[in-house]
Structures are given as C-alpha cells and as structure tokens.
C-alpha cells in the first residue's frame, strides 16, 4: 500500500495530494502537524515533535495521477485508541486543505486488537444461510410507500424462490411501534417462505432512526431472533455501528448512503477501498454494500476491486467481510459479476427482481440458477442465528438469613483509595446476562460499618430493607429505614453508615455501564 | 435560494448538477427517484409516484458554474421526520451519481417545529459571557501532548487577559477518568482567572469519545456546571449532537473535523452554507467553527459569507447561531475579520495567542482592544450557565399505609387494549427530575386483581414488598413474596396477579426511556 513498509505499532495513512502553492514535502508536513498538534511550527516543543506530531514517512509521485504526490504519514497508536480518534487523526482537518484524499490506511495493531470487527464475516453468514460455494443472492423490500403486506409478500416470494438474504430498503423508516409491526410481519412472511423451501433466507431490517432511539431498533431485531440489521454508518456515525455490533451478535450490513460525499471527488475525501473496505470492516460490517462498476452510479472497476480486496485481506484477526455489489444488476449481468467478484460475494439485486416478468419467486430461481452455473452450490444444514438468551434462575427467592437463592454474598473490599468497613454485597441482577440497563445489588452494613465516602457521575437509587442506617449526602444526614427510598444524584458525595446495633441492609439500583467512583473529600 | 419559492410543507433541496451523459432534466428525475423509491421507473405505481417520489420543481442553468444545472427537488415532509431522514433524503445516494452537490436546503415546517435548535444561540451565549456589542474572543487549549497543568495555565492566562471562551483542542481526547481529571483542572484554572477579572470566561471541553461513552463525557461537563461542550458532529454523527443538545442545556460548539470531505470538492458533496450553517444549526450548534477565508485552509470569502448567512437567517423559531471563523487569524487580521463578520461573531484565535510575544494574557488583552476598537463592548452582569438541578425531596419516607411522603398514589387505568384490575401505582423515582436511567415505581394489586398481560422490549426488575403475588412469565407461574427478586426479559409476556386475600405490593425498576407495551396473547 505505502511505499515504506508500515509500522504495525503506528497508524499509517497514505494521502494523495494535488499540486499546490507549497511543495509536496511542505504539504506533507502541514498535514502531519494539522492532524496532531494544530499549532504553528515555532510552538511545537521538541518532546511533542518527537512523540505526537505525525511522521512523514515518504513523499513520492502518485503512481496513478500524474502531477499528484503520494504522501505517507504515520501517527502514534495512542492517537488512534478507538474509531473516533482514528477518523480524527487520519482524516480530521486534512481535507480542508483541498486536494487531499486518504487513499490508504493501516490501523495500528493495538486498535486492531481492541476491535472485534465483523461478528460473523464470510463464514458465519454462509453457515446461517446454509450455502457454501457460490455467491449469495440478496434483494431489498421496496419501494417506500408500499403497504406492510406488500413488502411482506415480496419477502415471502423471494424466500420461496430460494433467495438467501432480504433487506429493507434504506429509505423505509418508521417510528418504533411502526417498525415493530412492519418487521414482525416481514419476518413472519420470510419464515413462511422458508417453510416451503426448507432453506434459510435471512431477513435483515433497516435500523434507521434518531440517534437516541437507534439502539432500540437494533435491540428489537436481535430480540425477535432475526439474523441481522442494515445500518447507514455514514449517517449514524461510523463508531455507532461499531458500538451496536459489539453489543448485538447480529450480521451488520452497511449501506452506502452519504458515502458518495466521501468517495466521489477524485481529488478529495476518502478512497473507495479505505471507506467501504477498511473502515466499514473495522466498524463491524459483515456485508458492505456498494454500487457495481457497471450500474447506474459512477464506480470504476478498480474502485470495486479495491473495496473487495480491503474486505478480504488480512486485517489483524478480523473476519473477512462480504462485498455486496448492487445498482442495476440484471439477470444478464449475473455471470459477469460472479466471475469478477468470485464466490464470496453478495449479489444485491433489487429492481430486476421486483420487476421480473415472471414475478419475484420465479425471477429469484432464474437468477440463482445463473449464479450456480458459475459457482456451484454446496448446501449445508443452516445454523441458527445466535439468540440472545436470558439467564436462569429468573426468580431469586429471598431467604431468612438475608441472602437469595442462587446468589453469593461477598465482603466488599477496599479499592484504590476507597475504604469500606463491615460491608457485604449480594449482586442480584445485572451480572448474569440479564439485559437490564441497571443493576440491582443488596448491601448490608454491620453495626459500626460504613460504605466508602465517594462520588461518581452515575446515580444511585437506594431502598431501605433491613434495620436502620444513615445516608450522608454531602453535608446532610438522613435516616434510611425499611422501604424508605432515596436518590443520590450525579457527583454527590455520599456514604451509608450503620450507627445502630443491628445489621443495616439496603437495595441499590445503579447504571449497568457506569464510571469508577472517586473518593469524596 | 431556489428558483421556485419553496413550499414550507415540504423539504426543498437544491442540487448543482454537472453535465453528464443524460440531460439535466433526466438527471434531476434520476435523483428524485433515487432519493425516495430507488426502483426503475416502470415499477413505480401511480399512488407512490404521487405521494412519495421527489418532485422536480425546476431545472435551470447554474448561476455560478457555467455548464452546470441547478436542480430543485421537493420531498414530502414525512420523508424528513427527523435529522436521520433529512440526511438520507436530501443527500443519501445522490452524490454517488458523481457531479451532484447539495447547495441549498429548506427543511419542512414540521421538522423545524420538532427541533429545538441551538440551546442558547447568539443572545444566550452573550448573556453567559456578559458581553454585548462586540465579537467574542475564543482560543483553544493545545497542543496535544501538553501536560494537564500546562493546558490549565493557558486557560487561566486567557481568562486573566479577559478572553471570552476557551475550548479544548479537538485533538485532545482521553479515557473518561483522564477527561474528568483534565477538565476539572482546566475548569478550576479558568475560574481562578475569572476571579481576578470579575469577568466570565467560558470553558468548553471537547467531548470526543467512543459512541457508547460519549454521553457520559457531555453529562460530566453539564454536571460540574460548565457552560458548554465542543463536538465533532461529522465524526459522532450529526443527529448524535442533536440528541445530546436536547438532553443537556449546554452551549454546543461544532468543530469542522471531517467537514472538508463534504465541502471541498466543488462539484460534489454539500455546500459550505448548508453544512456549517443550516445542518449544524438544525443539529443544535450554538457556535459553528469554520476556517476563515484568509487562513491556511482553502475557504473562499463567498463560502464564509454563506455560512454566516445560514447561521443567522430566519429558520423556523430556531435561535441564530454564532459563526466562529478560525485558522491562522493573527492580531493584524482582527479589524478585517471583525469588519467582515460583524459583532455577532466568535473569533477563534489559537496559534497567534499561544505564540504571542508578550504571552497569552497580554496577547488576549491586545486582541480584545483591537476587537473593541471596531465594535465597542457593552458589559452586563454575566448570567449563570444553566445548572442541572436535582429535585427535592431526596428521601421518600415510607409510611405504614404503604405510601411514601411526597408521592401520590394513583389507580392504574386501562390503556388501549391493556387491561388492569385493582392496581394502584406510586411513582417513586424518575418522573421528578432525577437523572436516573431507570424509574422506580411501587405497584399494589388488590386481592383478585392483576396487571395487564403484556410484553415490551424494555426489561423489568421486580422486588416483592407486601403480601404474596404470582408472576406469570409466558407459560410459567412463580410466587413473588417479600424481597423475592425477579427479572422480566425483553418481549417476554408477563402479568402480576394477586390470588391471595391480602394486598400484594412490589417495586418495579424500569428503563426511563422505554417502548410502549403490547398486549400479550
């Protein structure tokens, strides 16, 4: 990719830089400074120059574009500790210089080791479909404006025809209750189709929603046992897809909405392979949808090849992902597309199937036959999509000794500068695979004991259960008796004390994902 | 903006379209179809053509670029119910055609009425600073690699010099605990500076983090009483900023990282005014940072003017926002920049202040003098930044009649097809301004009564409190007695019944933001 062999301990970014008023070497240095310290040269202390500023590894003539230069810059791995940072350091402000395009990207080893990448990848999706040896055939439920039953019928017909994967059109969005109803109907229809064939066509709904509601859509898809979800990562934010993919063991199919902004100006933005290949795969895409070179969009063959290569090449321990070329592929194109992309490809065919003269079901059969004539199919028993399972036991019976069946009680130990005295804890809910936003714990404080005097951003709700204690909240004292309820707000210093002669016990409800407590002063 | 007067009942998008193999009219129609239904013409039923497909309002020669066309397309308001949908319908796939640039955007009235826009806008930020009449002076804490105390000293010196707003450099990111420590130190330093001047310099930290941790950073800033936060909306996702701005009453300052991809190819992407102006303001930016035309980046004067106009023009009931030109502005540029942008402008000056020969404090004074010589200052008493307040009472004392002091008990009524019998509810925590992720309620069921047999995506944790009841969980029955704990998982049908002769009461912990229950079958 780059002229120099990239250092796996660093981020290596390769830019195509157009000629400008400064020399290519000066433009390279400007980028290296801009992406890291963003101050005039004179204000860079030597240790920051050495440790932080991007290192220009090489400046050579661009092999593809006469007059342009290819600039390789490496950045310390600590500047790309996550995808947010990677986007900021590798792209960030640089495109504002004009004539700067990111054409190559090697993430550092440390980042690769921290990102799980595609949940299923090529092999996992094949196992769920039960199809080896040939490209998969996918379609989209559309157009927007169709009724739920029309969309469901399309999905059923495609499944009856033996299709492998059907997604919602990315233009179809609803409020959550509408989504729940539509997705349920389409899932049932695809399942009816599967019953007739004995095959496993996968239904992948589109999760497109307000940022603060998006997770609920993905969670629903996972909860009802569907295998995957379609996401528009350049609208939601790339790292949003990564976060969802880490939390839900689904197939993530990435849609190209907004990517044209990144890729389509040849002197600016981000090269196709880097965006649809490297970045989408880092963010957990199992399937990357992009326009085929012969379709209605202006993609070149070399760009499609670069995407495909980036999706399949070794990238840490990340699974290879599927290229899903689309955009005006018809029956007559199938053999060509299969030949170019090879068997590990999803052919996403929308219009030509929906408008097939013999109908969707027969059209699906015809196209599958064409695919099989290029790459023969080997069928295996489809594996179940991973199900989110709930833990047992679901009910924790209270015992008279103030413990719960199935749960251990453990003494609460000092941590860092936080000191406890005479406290035991029973983790009741949250640590055992329940999918609650909050954990429930029971704490019991011996006579004379206390919890740590601490503060943190997350809130507490406490419910008195046994005996009587004292809640210190900043400079206030309040009693906490049986079934009294109290709230501890964000960053409020607090402590629970037992000043009585009997054990003092309370329930505590707390965010499952929470910050570490600080000692209060 | 567009040739035709835009219909406020629809989205109006104006594209600059380069000449191609199809006529401008055909290209316009292709975009109108692509952005809405994405199927071949022959597959569009008449009612979908009428209700859904984008309407080409006009195709005229582009007034700025010879040979290009200006295409105005309107879309139904229901296709832009939120910012996710707006980005999808107005940008979406269109840039993949190549030579398509969004140069104008009029959101529909319905969307404008649903978006709060900037929390403070021009007037609100002025009141917090206590400065009327002149541009505000802002700087950035940098370079990355400096120690916390170095950064804090810079902030203190700037505040001592009378500066108005200091933000973190966008390149500075940490894990949450590091962020907490650094931001606390810098906030204290700026406050020390303020003590010496009696002015109110605002400190605005950069919230840059993994998607699943970002909110915690913003929440911390709000909790410690800082006035605002810097966000990179094109990395986090534009609607992520909107969601945060709706939840936290802070000043949102938008950083241009990644925007160069959108704006810098003149034939592609999104025009400067639309992105930095309209879209950022819709997403809640109080202050929009962008490179000044004379700085190191390739911004043209007309582009900066378009941004400024979009930030200030009438846009529903949204507050006007601040343009914050930056990028190599030095003392000698101040009068010019003040003259061009006018008084309602934030001058963001980094390097020239950090490297000022007389030091940051004196440099700040000098630059403020230059600003005041163009636009005289009127000082007012600074208003306090909005504080997140916690509700009183914080402790809810349990009463022997199974109620809590300060909380009402209300009968639980049937809703839709959900039927309850003999149930009363006490809302304990979550509806009174507490900032918990989960709500706590107490339910009591009369002998013979029951809750609705229902299911929903959110989970329940129930704790038996009074008497004995029965939890139905799908086809299982389990008793729930005093201090028994049980979990109801996502989409599990459940009901709580009282088959005894005494009241049955239980606590229920539930997500604060949750989906509406469905009747279970």
């Amino acid at each position: 990719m780059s002229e120099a062999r990239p250092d796996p301990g660093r981020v290596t970014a390769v830019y195509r830089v157009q000629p400008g008023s400064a020399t290519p070497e000066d433009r390279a240095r400007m980028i290296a400074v801009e992406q890291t310290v963003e101050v005039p040269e004179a204000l860079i202390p030597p240790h920051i120059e050495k440790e932080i500023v991007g290192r220009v590894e090489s400046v050579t003539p661009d092999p593809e574009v006469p007059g342009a230069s290819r600039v390789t810059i490496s950045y310390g791995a600590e500047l790309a500790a996550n995808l947010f940072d990677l986007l900021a350091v590798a792209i960030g402000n640089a495109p504002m210089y004009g004539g700067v395009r990111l054409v190559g990207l090697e993430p550092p080893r440390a980042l690769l080791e921290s990102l799980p990448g595609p949940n299923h990848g090529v092999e996992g999706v094949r196992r769920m479909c039960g199809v080896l040896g040939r490209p998969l055939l996918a379609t989209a439920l559309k157009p927007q404006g169709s009724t739920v039953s029309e969309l469901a019928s399309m999905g059923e017909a495609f499944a009856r025809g033996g299709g492998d994967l059907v997604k919602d059109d990315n233009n179809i969005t609803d409020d959550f209750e509408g989504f729940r109803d539509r997705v349920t109907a389409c899932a049932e229809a695809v399942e009816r189709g599967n019953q007739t064939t004995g095959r496993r066509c996968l239904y992948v709904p589109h999760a497109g929603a307000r940022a603060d509601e998006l997770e609920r859509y993905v969670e629903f898809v996972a909860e009802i046992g569907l295998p995957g979800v379609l996401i528009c990562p350049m609208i939601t934010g790339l790292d949003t897809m990564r976060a969802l993919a880490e939390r839900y063991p689904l197939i993530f199919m990435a849609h190209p909405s907004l990517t044209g902004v990144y890729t389509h100006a040849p002197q600016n933005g981000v090269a196709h392979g880097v965006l649809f290949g490297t970045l989408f795969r880092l963010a957990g895409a199992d399937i990357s949808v992009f326009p085929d070179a012969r379709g209605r969009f202006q993609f070149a063959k070399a760009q499609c090849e670069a995407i495909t290569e980036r999706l399949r090449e070794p990238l840490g321990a990340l699974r290879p992902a599927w290229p899903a070329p689309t955009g005006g592929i018809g029956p007559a194109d199938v053999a060509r597309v299969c030949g170019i992309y090879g068997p590990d490809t999803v052919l996403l065919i929308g219009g030509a199937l929906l408008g097939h003269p013999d109908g969707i079901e027969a059209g699906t059969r015809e196209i599958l036959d064409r695919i099989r004539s290029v790459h023969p199919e080997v069928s295996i028993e489809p594996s179940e999509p991973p199900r989110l399972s709930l833990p047992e036991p679901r009910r924790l019976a209270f015992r008279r000794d103030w413990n719960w069946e199935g749960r251990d009680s453990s003494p609460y130990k000092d941590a860092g500068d936080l000191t406890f005295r005479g406290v035991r804890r029973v983790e009741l809910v949250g640590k055992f695979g329940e999918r609650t936003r909050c954990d429930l714990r029971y704490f019991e404080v011996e006579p004379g004991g206390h919890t740590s005097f601490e503060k943190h951003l997350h809130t507490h709700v406490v419910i008195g259960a046994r005996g009587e204690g004292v809640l210190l909240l900043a400079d206030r004292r309040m009693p906490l008796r049986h079934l009294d309820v109290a709230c501890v707000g964000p960053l409020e210093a607090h402590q629970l004390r037992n000043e009585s002669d009997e054990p003092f016990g309370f329930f505590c409800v707390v965010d499952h994902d929470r910050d570490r407590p600080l000692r209060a002063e």
Side-chain angles (χ1 to χ4, degrees), chain A:
Chain A
M1 175 202 73
S2 73
E3 307 306 312
R5 197 188 186 86
D7 175 353
R10 296 172 66 80
V11 186
T12 301
V14 185
Y15 304 93
R16 178 182 300 147
V17 176
Q18 302 298 319
S21 52
T23 67
E25 287 72 17
D26 285 350
R27 299 200 77 188
R29 171 67 185 179
M30 284 162 72
I31 295 170
V33 170
E34 183 69 33
Q35 301 298 91
T36 51
V37 295
E38 229 181 296
V39 289
E41 291 280 352
L43 298 182
I44 306 173
H47 70 283
I48 289 180
E49 171 70 46
K50 182 157 176 281
E51 290 160 20
I52 307 283
V53 174
R55 190 190 297 160
V56 177
E57 303 284 356
S58 65
V59 179
T60 58
D62 190 275
E64 293 165 31
V65 178
S69 303
R70 186 154 290 213
V71 167
T72 301
I73 300 176
S74 73
Y75 306 99
E78 68 284 2
L79 306 191
N82 55 46
L83 276 186
F84 180 98
D85 290 342
L86 181 69
L87 293 174
V89 77
I91 308 176
N93 288 355
M96 290 198 294
Y97 279 120
V100 175
R101 183 173 174 90
L102 181 70
V103 298
L105 179 64
E106 294 280 346
R109 192 193 299 122
L111 179 63
L112 287 174
E113 287 171 355
S114 77
L115 292 174
N119 285 330
H120 302 283
V122 172
E123 285 310 304
V125 175
R126 282 204 179 286
R127 280 196 301 273
M128 267 191 264
C129 293
V131 173
L132 306 184
R134 65 158 172 86
L136 302 182
L137 176 60
T139 195
L141 300 180
K142 58 184 178 181
Q144 183 182 195
S146 305
T147 63
V148 169
S149 69
E150 286 167 344
L151 296 171
S153 299
M154 291 177 208
E156 182 169 352
F158 180 71
R160 280 176 174 272
D164 301 303
L165 187 154
V166 54
K167 71 170 184 70
D168 291 341
D169 190 35
N170 62 297
N171 289 321
I172 299 180
T173 58
D174 330 77
D175 63 17
F176 179 71
E177 281 74 16
F179 176 82
R180 193 166 66 178
D181 295 345
R182 177 172 56 76
V183 167
T184 301
C186 291
E188 289 169 356
V190 171
E191 184 50 33
R192 281 194 301 274
N194 285 339
Q195 295 293 337
T196 68
T197 62
R199 303 183 70 93
R200 167 82 48 76
C201 177
L202 308 175
Y203 170 47
V204 172
H206 173 222
R210 294 159 43 115
D212 37 356
E213 295 185 352
L214 182 65
E215 180 168 354
R216 186 184 293 175
Y217 287 62
V218 177
E219 187 182 357
F220 179 77
V221 168
E223 289 296 350
I224 65 171
L226 287 174
V229 74
L230 178 74
I231 296 275
C232 296
M234 301 324 284
I235 304 187
T236 64
L238 190 67
D239 196 52
T240 297
M241 180 165 78
R242 189 277 313 157
L244 292 168
E246 284 198 23
R247 193 164 291 182
Y248 299 94
L250 297 166
I251 298 168
F252 278 74
M253 188 172 192
H255 186 276
S257 191
L258 255 62
T259 58
V261 167
Y262 285 76
T263 58
H264 254 68
Q267 301 189 347
N268 286 276
V270 179
H272 300 71
V274 175
L275 184 65
F276 289 100
T278 308
L279 287 173
F280 279 16
R281 193 171 159 204
L282 289 175
D286 296 282
I287 303 172
S288 178
V289 177
F290 59 89
D292 179 43
R294 291 276 286 269
R296 64 187 181 279
F297 295 111
Q298 313 279 316
F299 272 50
K301 187 159 170 289
Q303 293 163 345
C304 296
E305 286 167 356
I307 295 169
T308 303
E309 190 181 334
R310 295 287 96 75
L311 290 169
R312 293 173 178 163
E313 71 185 354
L315 182 67
L318 273 58
R319 294 181 179 86
W322 294 84
T326 189
I329 299 176
D333 304 303
V334 166
R336 176 184 59 80
V337 175
C338 287
I340 290 172
Y341 291 94
D344 291 338
T345 303
V346 173
L347 267 64
L348 177 52
I349 300 185
L353 256 181
L354 300 183
H356 196 283
D358 303 328
I360 294 174
E361 184 178 336
T364 302
R365 281 200 201 94
E366 187 214 325
I367 292 176
L368 279 170
D369 286 344
R370 288 174 185 264
I371 291 174
R372 291 188 188 104
S373 73
V374 183
H375 297 291
E377 171 173 333
V378 177
S379 291
I380 58 171
E381 181 68 21
S383 64
E384 289 296 320
R387 295 300 292 251
L388 299 171
S389 61
L390 288 170
E392 296 293 342
R394 311 297 301 287
R395 170 177 162 266
L396 307 169
F398 174 68
R399 297 193 318 222
R400 289 193 195 160
D401 64 351
W402 290 87
N403 279 290
W404 281 260
E405 280 179 24
R407 291 289 183 264
D408 295 328
S409 172
S410 57
Y412 212 54
K413 298 225 179 65
D414 293 354
D417 54 1
L418 301 176
T419 54
F420 299 85
R421 182 165 159 198
V423 180
R424 76 178 174 96
R425 175 181 56 175
V426 183
E427 291 279 359
L428 292 165
V429 177
K431 296 264 189 274
F432 308 92
E434 306 91 343
R435 288 192 301 288
T436 49
R437 296 270 186 282
C438 286
D439 294 356
L440 177 69
R441 299 92 50 87
Y442 173 74
F443 289 90
E444 199 171 276
V445 187
E446 292 172 6
H450 58 78
T451 65
S452 149
F453 189 48
E454 66 182 36
K455 61 182 182 178
H456 36 66
L457 189 59
H458 59 273
T459 59
H460 278 325
V461 175
V462 293
I463 308 171
R466 180 182 193 182
E468 175 174 340
V470 175
L471 170 61
L472 297 185
L473 202 53
D475 52 358
R476 294 160 60 196
R477 279 174 64 92
M478 51 192 87
L480 196 75
R481 302 187 187 95
H482 183 63
L483 301 192
D484 287 348
V485 172
C487 282
V488 177
L491 300 174
E492 286 195 306
H494 60 279
Q495 185 175 48
L496 286 132
R497 306 185 64 88
N498 185 354
E499 301 177 356
S500 76
D501 300 326
E502 301 290 331
F504 161 52
F506 60 92
F507 292 102
C508 177
V509 180
V510 70
D511 290 352
H512 182 73
D513 296 317
R514 55 187 182 265
D515 59 321
R516 288 202 297 274
L518 275 173
R519 189 171 69 165
E521 283 130 37

